[in-house]
Amino acid sequence: MCGIVGYIGKKPANKILVDGLKRLEYRGYDSAGIVTLDENGEVKINKVKGKVAQLDDEIAEQADKNSIGIGHTRWATHGEPSVANAHPHKAGEIFLVHNGIIENYKELKAELADHKFVSDTDTEVLAALINSFYDEKTSLFDAVRLALKKVVGTFGIAVVSTREPNEIITARLGSPLIIGLGDNENILASDASALFGLTDKAIYLNDGEMAKITREDVKIYDLNGSEIVGKIEKIDTNLAAIQKNGYAHFLLKEIMEQPETLNATLRGRIDAMKKTVKLGGLNLSEKDLKNVQHVVIVGCGTAYYAGLLASYYLAELLPDVTIEVVVASEFRYKKSFLPKNSVALIVSQSGETADTLACLREIKSRGAKTIGVVNAVGSTIAREVDGGIYVHAGPEISVASTKAFTSQVSAMIMLGVSMAQTRETAEDFVEKIVAELAILPDEIKKLLNKYVAEIEKIATKYAKYEHAIYMGRDTAFPTALEGALKLKEISYIDANGYAAGELKHGPLALVDDRFFEVVMLLEGNLLDKTISNLSEVNARGGHVFAITNSDKEITAESILRVKTDLKILTPILLNVAQQVFAYYIAVARENDVDQPRNLAKSVTVE
Ligand code: AGP
């Protein structure tokens, strides 16, 4: 997704902007640009189709001391990646960067005939619209405010002008913005990672708010121009958290740090001795928790699969509650019934996914309680839910989600245990699953210490394939879906996950030498059935990689036998093996592991 950085202070803005954009690269982009002004309105603009590093090279040759500026990494929505379409966009004396989508840009463009358009973007239309209000009697702030009243869509914007070169105007509706507060300098960004090392105090802009940022202060307003008191919050400034710490890729770092990040998810919430869970921040009374009759779990991509896996455990913990798991982009348009006493779990690593956020708002409008299962602290979803469980997995930089999945599933299990405790259901299962949660970080640590080299060796055998089938039964089914997503998004192999029992109903027709198959076999009452599904594939010349915690005799081209004390939570553990497998295949295929083509870390557009 696009990234925005703004700076106003006493230092040269260009280097601060470019360094900030580098910290937003993980959001995914295809072009970038900055504009800086000096206090007399002198302008310097750099735009590239490609990486932020190219901007760095350009500014290194410029003696640009300008101390105010805005910058942008663009993930193309309207208009192909190009220098012309890269932001900032200019109209008259103003320069604009924008994250979001102006849905009525065509109608607005038709009213702006006197602007000479040089790009195909909706953003340039917004720049021209602001400029159309910007006359000698109208300040930049008011011109922006008047223009935004005509906009339908989402925006996070930053605007500067050569006429008023000592302020940055910013506004948000649907695309997050945070304002870092410095000493005689202030920094604007799409998320806190761009502020690391610069300040630990910030104001999160809320939807429908604007701000006027000068060197001396930051004033917050609503879109009618009435001033609002902005809430100053402390932000996590752990720079190491967003560095690779010596790993080749953020993805490997985030896979390998799961024992620590899962511990952070569990810390202070589970009592392994008493086999109980205590969650703060739900903002639901015991009575509310007792009265829940329906749980709907909402998410996209990996967050959806985390919800799907968690739903199996919630069904065990809450036998008298109906559990539904929905893809956010479908739920918001599909006719559906939300029974009374429904609670919605809104699952999102970034807390900014447009489809998930829209679902949250839709569900709230229908009167259901909403609980966020979110990683990014202070994100829009985290601030709009009724209550929540931060998963505390730390910044997840790589586009492919790994540690967040493990923490999200575990957080939802803890919520299920908390609800089961108040309803006194499934006492025996509660005891078992809490005991397993308590050892899960160590079990993951053991897997990562013991099996990574073996998995890497197996991965190189399958890196040459272009097609893959993942399969599993029961809790291994959603895990197969997640494993297939991980592989497809970083290796670009056409990988799809199926319920193992479904193979014979169609997908088995695919099996030939173009495909390999990953089969997850869990110890337990479905093991033999899954072994027969595996035999159906073998009988058709399949190339099977079996991942299992069982010692049972298995025939497969490759086998990873993981020793573990887990029984119930084995899929979460074996999914870590799938993550490692996908990582090494992507590395073998020399892909951009952390920023796969066409994808973004946080999809803040529909
Ligand atoms: C997962 O690896 C993908 N990057 C993607 O499916 C992601 O899970 C999805 O876009 C949801 O993101 P969120 O958790 O930030 O809402």
Side-chain angles (χ1 to χ4, degrees):
M1 222 50 309
C2 305
I4 289 175
V5 180
Y7 173 77
I8 182 164
K10 294 290 176 212
K11 301 171 195 138
N14 58 2
K15 191 73 184 103
I16 292 170
L17 296 174
V18 169
D19 288 348
L21 292 179
K22 281 182 184 163
R23 293 207 184 113
L24 297 177
E25 284 189 295
Y26 73 89
R27 301 162 67 90
Y29 71 103
D30 42 53
S31 56
I34 64 168
V35 62
T36 63
L37 313 176
D38 71 6
E39 297 180 23
N40 310 314
E42 279 309 306
V43 177
K44 198 91 207 76
I45 186 163
N46 298 77
K47 299 208 283 190
V48 294
K49 177 189 176 226
K51 295 298 183 190
V52 175
Q54 291 165 245
L55 280 180
D56 225 353
D57 296 342
E58 286 192 11
I59 65 171
E61 278 138 45
Q62 294 164 195
D64 169 6
K65 296 273 172 277
N66 294 351
S67 59
I68 170 175
I70 55 178
H72 186 263
T73 48
R74 177 175 183 252
W75 186 65
T77 52
H78 294 73
E80 49 141 23
S82 68
V83 171
N85 289 335
H87 303 196
H89 284 288
K90 183 180 184 309
E93 297 159 300
I94 71 157
F95 293 87
L96 164 75
V97 293
H98 164 233
N99 183 7
I101 288 192
I102 308 298
E103 298 193 1
N104 62 333
Y105 81 100
K106 285 201 176 89
E107 298 86 325
L108 294 171
K109 189 169 184 174
E111 297 166 13
L112 297 160
D114 56 357
H115 176 80
K116 192 173 162 316
F117 285 91
V118 297
S119 82
D120 314 318
T121 66
D122 56 339
T123 302
E124 188 184 2
V125 172
L126 179 55
L129 181 63
I130 296 169
N131 191 45
S132 69
F133 288 99
Y134 194 32
D135 57 28
E136 53 291 342
K137 292 190 302 304
T138 311
S139 68
L140 180 61
F141 176 82
D142 284 332
V144 172
R145 192 173 58 75
L146 293 169
L148 292 180
K149 282 184 169 300
K150 296 190 70 171
V151 159
V152 174
T154 58
F155 51 80
I157 60 169
V159 194
V160 292
S161 145
T162 51
R163 189 195 316 170
E164 297 171 76
N166 291 303
E167 64 185 43
I168 298 174
I169 305 300
T170 184
R172 77 156 277 182
L173 186 68
S175 294
L177 285 169
I178 178 171
I179 305 168
L181 308 175
D183 178 9
N184 237 340
E185 63 180 10
N186 292 303
I187 306 106
L188 170 71
S190 300
D191 70 44
S193 54
L195 304 181
F196 284 164
L198 295 169
T199 177
D200 65 354
K201 285 197 307 297
I203 295 171
Y204 287 93
L205 218 48
N206 292 311
D207 272 350
E209 291 182 352
M210 300 180 65
K212 187 188 289 184
I213 307 172
T214 64
R215 288 174 181 79
E216 300 73 30
D217 71 354
V218 174
K219 289 194 183 316
I220 312 286
Y221 304 85
D222 65 20
L223 288 177
N224 297 318
S226 314
E227 193 165 348
I228 305 169
V229 177
K231 187 171 161 229
I232 298 176
E233 305 189 35
K234 202 153 163 31
I235 53 170
D236 175 355
T237 56
N238 170 5
L239 208 45
I242 68 158
Q243 305 304 331
K244 292 181 200 165
N245 291 354
Y247 287 103
H249 300 99
F250 280 112
L251 185 58
L252 186 58
K253 168 182 174 273
E254 288 154 10
I255 290 171
M256 299 304 282
E257 67 185 1
Q258 287 180 97
E260 294 73 41
T261 54
L262 180 57
N263 266 321
T265 308
L266 303 175
R267 193 166 298 126
R269 292 167 163 169
I270 74 166
D271 180 329
M273 300 308 286
K274 291 194 213 123
K275 305 279 185 293
T276 57
V277 160
K278 200 165 134 332
L279 293 174
L282 291 184
N283 295 341
L284 287 174
S285 65
E286 285 230 345
K287 185 165 164 292
D288 293 334
L289 289 174
K290 263 197 180 121
N291 289 341
V292 170
Q293 288 167 342
H294 181 72
V295 172
V296 56
I297 306 175
V298 181
C300 300
T302 286
Y304 167 65
Y305 297 138
L308 214 47
L309 177 53
S311 70
Y312 284 71
Y313 300 120
L314 292 179
E316 290 282 347
L317 290 161
L318 308 167
D320 53 350
V321 174
T322 50
I323 315 277
E324 182 188 5
V325 193
V326 292
V327 171
S329 54
E330 284 298 306
F331 181 81
R332 53 188 297 210
Y333 299 111
K334 182 172 73 105
K335 199 96 201 90
S336 61
F337 171 63
L338 260 190
K340 68 178 178 47
N341 295 329
S342 286
V343 71
L345 306 190
I346 312 296
V347 191
S348 176
Q349 187 289 129
S350 64
E352 301 299 348
T353 300
D355 288 319
T356 312
L357 176 59
C359 264
L360 161 60
R361 291 170 175 168
E362 155 75 14
I363 290 171
K364 277 183 84 170
S365 71
R366 290 161 64 174
K369 289 276 181 215
T370 55
I371 295 177
V373 182
V374 175
N375 190 35
V377 174
S379 56
T380 305
I381 289 173
R383 286 183 294 119
E384 292 198 12
V385 289
D386 297 308
I389 312 168
Y390 275 128
V391 301
H392 296 313
E396 189 176 69
I397 305 299
S398 194
V399 165
S401 187
T402 49
K403 62 178 183 173
F405 175 87
T406 301
S407 290
Q408 284 163 344
V409 178
S410 304
M412 284 185 270
I413 290 171
M414 287 195 285
L415 175 64
V417 166
S418 174
M419 289 173 70
Q421 284 166 182
T422 42
R423 308 159 78 99
E424 291 167 1
T425 54
E427 278 94 345
D428 182 41
F429 189 76
V430 163
E431 195 162 328
K432 285 187 189 136
I433 202 165
V434 173
E436 292 207 11
L437 268 180
I439 65 168
L440 183 56
D442 273 353
E443 291 298 299
I444 292 174
K445 190 184 215 101
K446 281 193 290 193
L447 180 142
L448 292 171
N449 290 343
K450 202 167 157 200
Y451 299 101
V452 167
E454 186 178 347
I455 298 167
E456 181 181 3
K457 212 155 130 258
I458 296 171
T460 46
K461 275 167 64 178
Y462 296 100
K464 62 183 183 302
Y465 284 84
E466 293 307 325
H467 304 278
I469 284 174
Y470 279 67
M471 67 175 96
R473 282 178 178 263
D474 192 70
T475 48
F477 167 43
T479 314
L481 297 175
E482 168 58 13
L485 173 63
K486 220 43 53 196
L487 184 69
K488 79 176 82 167
E489 67 177 323
I490 61 176
S491 74
Y492 315 150
I493 290 173
D494 165 29
N496 292 294
Y498 300 94
E502 271 296 284
L503 260 286
K504 53 191 174 298
H505 300 293
L508 205 55
L510 292 171
V511 174
D512 62 23
D513 281 339
R514 296 171 302 142
F515 280 72
F516 72 90
E517 296 76 23
V518 178
V519 187
M520 188 172 289
L521 300 121
L522 300 177
E523 191 61 78
N525 61 350
L526 293 172
L527 178 61
D528 291 340
K529 287 194 188 315
T530 317
I531 288 175
S532 34
N533 298 140
L534 190 160
S535 320
E536 290 155 14
V537 174
N538 277 339
R540 285 149 182 91
H543 300 280
V544 175
F545 169 29
I547 305 176
T548 184
N549 62 328
S550 169
D551 294 331
K552 191 147 190 174
E553 164 83 24
I554 290 169
T555 310
E557 193 174 85
S558 311
I559 300 177
L560 177 74
R561 282 189 198 281
V562 176
K563 286 262 160 290
T564 175
D565 296 334
L566 295 171
K567 300 242 177 312
I568 303 168
L569 300 185
T570 312
I572 304 176
L573 176 72
L574 300 188
N575 182 56
V576 175
Q578 291 188 140
Q579 294 168 351
V580 175
F581 179 69
Y583 171 74
Y584 282 110
I585 287 190
V587 169
R589 292 167 71 101
E590 297 178 1
N591 286 354
D592 186 343
V593 171
D594 284 329
Q595 294 167 34
R597 67 185 182 194
N598 309 337
L599 299 182
K601 181 60 183 173
S602 170
V603 185
T604 55
V605 292
E606 287 196 36

